[in-house]
Amino acid sequence: MTDNLGDVRTIRIEDEMRTSYLDYAMSVIVARALPDVRDGLKPVHRRILYTMGEMGLSSTSSYRKCAAIVGEVMGKLHPHGDAAIYDALVRLAQDFSMRYPLIAGQGNFGSVDGDSAAAMRYTEARLAAIAAEMLADIDKETVDFVENYDGQHREPTILPAKLPNLLINGSSGIAVGMATNIPPHHLGEIVDAEIALIDDPELTSDDLCAFVRGPDFPTGGSIFRYEQQKNAITGATETVDAIRQMYAHGHGRVVMRAQVAFEEARRDRVAIIVTELPYQVNKAALLEKIADLVKDKRIEGIADLRDESDRDGMRIYIEVKNDANPHTVLNNLFKHTPMQLAFNLNMLALVDGQPQTLPLKSAIAHHVEHRREIVRRRTEFDLGKARERAHVLEGLKIALDHLDEVIRTIRESADVETARANLVARFGLSEIQAQAILDMRLARLAALERKKIEDEYLAVIQLIAELEDILANPGRVLAIIKDELLELKRKYAGERRTRVVDDSSREMTDEDLIADEDVVVTISRRGYIKRQPVATYRRQGRGGKGIIGHVTREEDAVDSLLVANTHDWALFFTNRGRVFSAKVHSVPDASRQAKGIPIINLPGVQVEAGEVPTATLVVPDFKAGRYLVMATRRGVIKKTPLEQFEKVRSSGIRALTLADGDELAWVDVATGHDDAIIATALGKLARFVETEVRPMGRDAAGVIGIRLARAGDEVVSMSVVQPGRDLLVLTETGYGKRVALSEFRRKHRGGQGVMLIPLEGRKTGRVAAVQQVTEADEELLLISAGGQVVRTQTNTINRYSSGARGVITMRLNEGDRVVGIAAFREGLAERGGMGDNGAPDAGPGPGSAPAS
C-alpha cells in the first residue's frame, strides 16, 4: 500500500526476505555453482577458457604467467576475487582432478597429497590441445554474446563445445538448497553412446549403459556394478545394478576402491601395494589415517607403512606381519579408511537456465541438440560468407568480361565516388562489387589470374550448394556431428583407467587384487616356485648368455618355466599321478635373486612325503570339449576330459594310475582330433593321431605311446601338434634348431619313433627340451639348470632338417645345462595357450615349458 510519503511503499519484511533470498539463490545457482548442460562449464571456467583463447594461448603457443591470465579474466569478465579465479584455473590443469585436463600447466599445480598450487606469479599455463575443441568455431557466430559486467567487453553465454564435457570431465558444486556431483567418464564410451542415440533416439538410459560402463576416474581404481540393497517394502536384501540405477534416475551411488596387489616382502612377509586411489582421496591424509588406526590397534597385522611414490607413479607400501592374514588386513583397510569410498552421483545441471536432475539419456541428448544448433549456425555463417564472396567474384567476372569499358569508365570519372557510381549505373553492379573492382590490382588482369577467379567462383558456387543442402537436410547435420565425435574419440579418448568389477558386497580375493598381466613362472627341481613379469627378461640375440632369472640353492636346479596370465588356473601334476590346482596369482611375485616358495606351501597343494610336482599346465577355464593328454617317462599316454579336473580337492585327486617305477611327467590339452608327438632324451620322436588314444577316466592307466628302444632313454616332451608350427629342439649343452613338423610323418602309436636330432656325446649331450614354436611375433625364454635365462626371438634360430645338429642357442657356464623353453608373444601370454587348432598348449614338465 501507499502511505503519506508518496513514492515510498511499505512491504512486509518476510516478503522482502523471501524475494531477496530467492534472487540470491538463483544468482548462485545460475551464475556460480552449477554447470550448463551444453558445455559442462560454470561461468568462471567458461570465462577462463574464452579469455585464454582470446589471448592466443593455444596448445602450440608459449606459456604465460597465470597471474597475467587471472588478471585478464578478472579485469574483463569475472569481477570476483583473484584467488577464486586461480583456484578454478588450477583445477582445470590437474590431471588427478580432470579426466581430460583443459589447461596445460607448467610449475607446481598441486598434488594428490593435498599440496596446494604455487602462487600464480610462479606458475604458467596455456590451453591444452583438447580445449581447442571447446572453443572451435566460436568466431563464426555459433553462440550468443552478451555484454560483460561493465559493458566494455562481450563474452559468450555458452561455448560451442564439440566435447561432451559435462560427462567426460564431470562437475561438482554446492548451490543454495541443491548440489551437483557428476563423475568424469571415458570419452570413447560417451561418444559411442551419443552416436547410438543419434542413430536411434528411442534408446533409453538403460540401453545406453551398454556403451557407458560407468564413471572413469582420472586416478583409476575400481568401481563396483552390483550392490546389496534392502528392499524398502519387503525388507529383503537384493542385488541391484547400482550403475544402471544411477544413470536411469540421474542420482545414486557407486562404490570406489583402491587398486592393490600383493608382493613378496622382506623376511618372507607379504606386502600390500597400493598403486591407485579412489577419486579425490588425499594420499597424505590416507597414510596418516592408517597410521592412527594401527596406533589405536583398530587395525592389526601391519608391520610397516611408507610412501614410495615417485614421478613414475603412486606406490604405497603396507607390510603385513608374519602371523597376520593379508586378506583380513586388506579388508579392514577397505572398511576403515578411504581406500574404499562411495561416490554419490547427482547429475544436476542448468537446462535453459533452470536446474534439472538429468538421467544419462537426457544429458547426452542435450549435448546432441546443442551441437545440432552449433552446426546449423556455423553452416549459416559459412553460407553467408560464401554468398558474399560469390557476389564479389560475380562483379570481378563482369569487369573482366568488359575490361576495356570498365577501364574507360574509371578513367573518365573525376574521383573514386564518381567512379563507383558510374560502375554501378553502367554495369548494374552493387556498391560492394564496384568497390571490389576499384580495389582490384592490375596483376589480376593476367590470363592466369583471370582463370583463378573463374575457378574460385566455380568452387564457391559448389560450396554454396553443399551448405544449402546441409541446412535443408537434418540428416546431414547429424552425420557431421557423428563424424566430429568419432574424430574426437580417435584423437583424445585413450584407454579406460577405472576398472568395473561386479560385486562389492563380497570379501576381497586374490582375483580382485592381482592385475591382469603376463608372468613367467619358474619351478626348481626341489619344488620351489615363483613368478616374475615377462618384462624382467630383456630380449637378446641367439647365443647370448642371458641373465640370472632364478637363483638356485645348493643341490637344486631349475626344472621348468612357463608363461601364463595371473588369472589362469595352474594344474600341478605329481610324479605319483595326482593333480592339484591353484590360481597363478597365488604364486608369490619374487625378484630374480629370490628362490620362491615350495609348491607344497601354495593354497590347495598338499602333497605327500616323496611326492613332487613334475608337470604344470595352465588353463583359463574348464569348458567341455577338451581333453587332458598325459604322458609318463616310460612312454605311456592317456587322455581324459578336461572338465573332470575342474574341482580339485586340497588333498589332490587321481589323474593317472602308474606302473611301478614310472612317473607322470607331461600334460597337454587336445580337442579330440589332433596329432600327438612324443620326444625322447636320445633324440627319437613319435607322431600319431590322438584319436588312437581313447578317452579314459581319471583312474585309468593309459596305453603305450612310444617304445623306448635303448636303456637310459626316457620321454622329455609330449605335446599336441599345433598346425603351422615348427619344433624347436634344444640339447643339454645349448645346441638347438627348428625343424618343420611336416618332416615327421604320422605313424601308429607304440612304435620306436624316427630321428629328431643326431647327438654327439658330450658335445651335444642329450635332448633337454622340445617346444612347438612359430615365427610370427614370437619370443623365447631359454633357461638353464643354473638359473640363466635368455630371452630371444624365435626367428633368430634357423630351421634345419631332422638330420642336422643345429647351432649354439645359449652359451652356458661350466657345468651348467639347458633344462627348459617357453614361447610367448609380447603382451599376450596365451592363458593356457590357445593354439591354432583351438587347443591350449602344454604346461611344462621337466625340461620344457608351455608354447605360447
Side-chain angles (χ1 to χ4, degrees), residues 476-490:
R476 293 204 60 186
V477 173
L478 293 176
I480 291 172
I481 295 172
K482 288 165 60 176
D483 290 342
E484 291 176 347
L485 288 171
L486 288 172
E487 181 64 13
L488 290 176
K489 177 181 176 181
R490 184 190 67 80

Side-chain angles (χ1 to χ4, degrees), residues 671-795:
T671 63
H673 305 283
D674 304 310
D675 282 4
I677 53 174
I678 301 178
T680 73
L682 297 184
K684 293 291 186 179
L685 182 136
R687 177 175 182 174
F688 53 88
V689 182
E690 171 222 327
T691 52
E692 291 191 2
V693 183
R694 62 179 178 81
M696 307 176 189
R698 291 190 291 105
D699 293 329
V703 295
I704 293 294
I706 186 172
R707 295 188 184 276
L708 304 179
R710 295 170 56 186
D713 199 2
E714 65 178 0
V715 173
V716 295
S717 174
M718 184 282 299
S719 62
V720 174
V721 172
Q722 307 293 322
R725 297 195 177 190
D726 294 340
L727 276 185
L728 174 63
V729 186
L730 283 185
T731 70
E732 292 175 330
T733 60
Y735 278 90
K737 65 177 179 178
R738 285 189 292 133
V739 186
L741 272 168
S742 57
E743 287 204 24
F744 304 103
R745 292 184 296 107
R746 180 188 297 166
K747 295 188 176 181
H748 293 294
R749 69 168 178 84
Q752 296 183 3
V754 297
M755 178 179 288
L756 173 62
I757 185 172
L759 302 177
E760 301 177 17
R762 291 185 178 180
K763 185 172 185 178
T764 61
R766 295 164 26 126
V767 175
V770 179
Q771 176 72 51
Q772 295 183 54
V773 296
T774 177
E775 287 190 25
D777 303 321
E778 194 169 64
E779 300 189 30
L780 300 172
L781 293 178
L782 315 180
I783 193 165
S784 74
Q788 286 179 234
V789 176
V790 169
R791 176 176 175 177
T792 188
Q793 289 185 302
T794 301
N795 56 18

Side-chain angles (χ1 to χ4, degrees), residues 382-437:
D382 290 340
L383 179 59
K385 291 294 183 182
R387 285 172 173 168
E388 290 174 7
R389 184 58 181 166
H391 183 65
V392 170
L393 291 173
E394 287 169 354
L396 296 180
K397 283 172 54 67
I398 291 173
L400 293 174
D401 291 340
H402 305 84
L403 186 58
D404 294 336
E405 296 179 51
V406 168
I407 294 174
R408 188 181 309 112
T409 299
I410 296 173
R411 293 183 62 184
E412 293 174 353
S413 302
D415 52 33
V416 173
E417 294 296 329
T418 304
R420 185 187 303 112
N422 290 338
L423 288 173
V424 170
R426 183 162 185 179
F427 297 101
L429 302 172
S430 68
E431 294 262 348
I432 295 175
Q433 290 173 322
Q435 186 62 46
I437 291 171

